[in-house]
Amino acid sequence: MTARFPCPKKLGLGGFLGCLHLSLVGFLLAPNSAFSFPSTNQWTLRWTNSGIAWYPHWQLRFRSGNFLAGGVHSSDGVNWHVFAEPSDKRHWLNNSGVGDGVFILNGAANDLWNSVNGTQWTKRGNPGGYDDLTGIEYGNGTFVVNRYWSPGSLLVSRDSGNTWSYVDTGDFPKAPGTDGRHYEGTVFGAGRFLFPLFDRVRLSSDGLSWQTVVISNRPGSFDMRAAGSFDSVNQKFIGMIQAGSNATSKTFTLVSSTNGVDWTFRQSELPTTNGAQFGGGCMGGGLLVAAGGTPPEVWMSSDEGLTWRRVNGPWEADGVTSVAFAANSGTIVAATPDKIYSATLVSGGNAPQITSIDSFSGTVGVVFSNYGIVTGK
């Protein structure tokens, strides 16, 4: 990402990595003729912010059949709805989550709510004590919420967010220059929760009992927080960090795991002459995205980084400073600070395809977070 891009206060695991200029992996081979990307005129404007205060577009992600971006949500990426804010909110809201037909909101001062419709909220007590609450993840009938000021501590609900338990998974080694606040998200996939840390991960099927796995084959420069995405198409936890760069290419480290225990690392190259730091990750739907540079380069891949192509969109035409991406098996969504767009994906074999191709130019930086890919000046 470029130095001019302002990092939001709370970005989740990978978001902090993006602010440190960590980034993406990919290996560019010959162009894949069966894989194409949307041009600017194929993105449709779906929602414009008319003044809601809580719309952190960098939180865009797809979870449990819903796209979420802070205070807005959609089941199809086309029709968007605004959450009503809880009337008993004391400070600010931090994050939204969904699962089991229930929406969850959290915020400062340990505030936590659930709702079946996103309009009427019930505040729920929790035993964690005063703290900011951050990442919300759902799986196996369980909600897991991270606490910002307490390294390794979580809140867990197994009854649709009605009652919550405090779970302390324990302290852990930190990446140089970080503290416990920079480890604030989990991701669910392959039947388990993954809590990615610096040189290890923690795994749990129920959110209550956690197994720590030290990644012994991890390259010394690789921060496992970058692995905080799950590719539901290829059924893998996946992550990527830029490891090097020269005048004609970038070298990346890509990591993946089907179970969260056994991890594969490989070195890859992206033949770009752009000297900027790149960031990237899995946006969902079997798609990887990478971006960075001035002028910007945005790349997408449907084959785990074996082939990449550059893509453009209305975020460039509108002159906005940042955009986040998320996708399911049929739709890709792009969120800017004040607008949300979508484009249609067409399934083709194991990974979705986008219906056309165009070139890309402009100015962009990138932050990869647990919530998607955020690019900005």
Side-chain angles (χ1 to χ4, degrees), residues 53-356:
W54 184 49
Y55 169 55
H57 70 288
W58 64 85
Q59 289 186 3
L60 178 68
R61 63 206 187 279
F62 183 76
R63 293 290 190 274
S64 300
N66 287 265
F67 291 96
L68 299 168
V72 297
H73 62 100
S74 171
S75 62
D76 57 10
V78 174
N79 301 292
W80 289 81
H81 310 280
V82 178
F83 287 123
E85 292 198 4
S87 59
D88 52 356
K89 180 188 72 173
R90 290 182 291 172
H91 301 289
W92 57 85
L93 298 172
N94 283 336
N95 215 325
S96 57
V98 63
D100 194 29
V102 173
F103 294 106
I104 302 291
L105 294 183
N106 67 25
N110 227 44
D111 282 348
L112 195 57
W113 300 263
N114 66 347
S115 171
V116 296
N117 55 22
T119 301
Q120 298 170 309
W121 297 93
T122 301
K123 182 178 282 189
R124 301 298 183 179
N126 67 72
Y130 190 93
D131 205 337
D132 266 354
L133 304 181
T134 56
I136 303 173
E137 190 71 346
Y138 177 83
N140 283 353
T142 302
F143 284 103
V144 173
V145 173
N146 283 75
R147 290 160 53 85
Y148 184 63
W149 295 100
S150 308
S153 66
L154 309 167
L155 296 175
V156 177
S157 175
R158 295 178 58 82
D159 62 359
S160 301
N162 292 316
T163 60
W164 294 84
S165 300
Y166 174 82
V167 176
D168 187 355
T169 71
D171 208 349
F172 46 85
K174 319 294 192 304
T178 72
D179 57 35
R181 295 171 297 170
H182 300 133
Y183 303 79
E184 43 176 308
T186 63
V187 61
F188 184 83
R192 65 200 66 191
F193 292 94
L194 177 80
F195 188 177
L197 303 172
F198 169 50
D199 62 350
R200 62 198 62 196
V201 300
R202 287 178 174 157
L203 300 167
S204 175
S205 61
D206 61 6
L208 301 174
S209 300
W210 291 81
Q211 169 195 7
T212 298
V213 179
V214 177
I215 314 303
S216 58
N217 63 329
R218 177 187 66 93
S221 61
F222 196 93
D223 191 325
M224 290 302 296
R225 287 175 296 165
S229 297
F230 185 76
D231 179 355
S232 59
V233 171
N234 297 300
Q235 289 292 297
K236 294 180 180 181
F237 297 102
I238 193 165
M240 50 192 72
I241 289 177
Q242 180 179 316
S245 180
N246 58 39
T248 60
S249 67
K250 295 185 182 300
T251 302
F252 302 99
T253 302
L254 169 66
V255 63
S256 63
S257 173
T258 58
N259 57 18
V261 177
D262 304 302
W263 294 84
T264 299
F265 295 84
R266 63 180 173 89
Q267 294 297 305
S268 308
E269 289 190 2
L270 184 70
T272 175
T273 58
N274 195 314
Q277 193 81 7
F278 271 46
C282 181
M283 71 169 75
L287 295 173
L288 300 182
V289 67
T294 304
E297 295 180 12
V298 173
W299 303 70
M300 291 184 188
S301 171
S302 66
D303 55 11
E304 298 188 67
L306 295 177
T307 58
W308 293 86
R309 284 193 177 173
R310 294 168 66 174
V311 63
N312 68 344
W315 52 88
E316 180 187 9
D318 289 350
V320 299
T321 58
S322 60
V323 59
F325 297 96
N328 61 14
S329 60
T331 302
I332 181 172
V333 171
T336 71
D338 62 353
K339 294 178 181 178
I340 293 176
Y341 304 86
S342 72
T344 300
L345 298 174
V346 179
S347 295
N350 201 31
Q353 295 175 315
I354 308 177
T355 54
S356 78

